Amino acid sequence: AKATAAATAKAEVGRATWTLLHTLAAQFPQKPSRQQQKDARTLVDVLTRIYPCGDCARHFAELVKREPPVVTSGPEFRRWLCSVHNRVNSRLGKPTFNCDLVESRWSPLGCSPEEDDAGELGAAA
Ligand code: FAD
């Protein structure tokens, strides 16, 4: 029972992390600033060290070393993330995700300041 609970928690943290990463990528700008590019690289780099499942983190570190993050534009970052997620899928015996569908699977939250102005707030008024 203990092993099952640990496996469930591991899968949940995995899903939560991919959700965060893909949602963030969905909102990653077409033309990211230097700082935004640095932030994306740093986030990935930090995950390779402090991701809460040690084996996953080590494997992810090797993966990222072979395929460094491409952060030069939103579409390129999304493609990179889809590709590394697929490498993890393959390793775990899960089906590969069709990266052409990534933009319909993962959407921006629509709560960036710009969108709040034109979107939610506007709609509520
Ligand atoms: P997940 O893989 O969590 O995916 C969530 C959803 O994302 C899917 O339902 C699908 O709709 C969508 N999706 C799937 N593939 C893609 C893709 N390529 N691009 C875009 N969207 C996609 N678990 C281990 O047991 N061992 C490991 O070594 C390991 N390493 C991991 C490393 C990292 C960096 C992360 C974030 C997680 C890791 N995990 C690992 C967890 C594992 O990847 C899964 O999150 C977990 O097994 C739950 O899988 P799931 O089937 O619910 O779907």
Side-chain angles (χ1 to χ4, degrees):
K2 240 183 180 175
T4 315
T8 305
K10 188 168 157 183
E12 263 173 32
V13 169
R15 270 192 295 277
T17 306
W18 290 123
T19 299
L20 172 65
L21 291 173
H22 287 294
T23 304
L24 199 146
Q27 269 166 252
F28 203 64
Q30 186 75 25
K31 290 187 178 167
S33 65
R34 262 173 197 284
Q35 184 63 52
Q36 286 168 322
Q37 295 184 44
K38 191 176 165 196
D39 287 344
R41 269 196 303 267
T42 301
L43 175 63
V44 171
D45 189 43
V46 164
L47 278 180
T48 67
R49 292 192 296 275
I50 63 166
Y51 188 76
C53 145
D55 276 349
C56 309
R58 272 187 291 281
H59 171 254
F60 191 57
E62 287 167 25
L63 194 56
V64 167
K65 211 172 166 185
R66 281 200 305 272
E67 270 181 69
V70 186
V71 297
T72 37
S73 75
E76 285 178 300
F77 186 47
R78 292 191 275 281
R79 203 172 314 129
W80 173 81
L81 188 60
C82 185
S83 165
V84 292
H85 191 167
N86 272 335
R87 301 239 184 257
V88 174
N89 287 342
S90 302
R91 181 164 178 265
L92 300 178
K94 291 178 194 282
T96 298
F97 187 89
N98 177 354
C99 291
D100 291 340
L101 303 179
V102 92
E103 314 224 351
S104 51
R105 170 65 180 87
W106 299 103
S107 322
L109 287 187
C111 51
S112 69
E114 306 92 292
E115 276 155 340
D116 278 352
D117 287 347
E120 286 162 284
L121 290 179

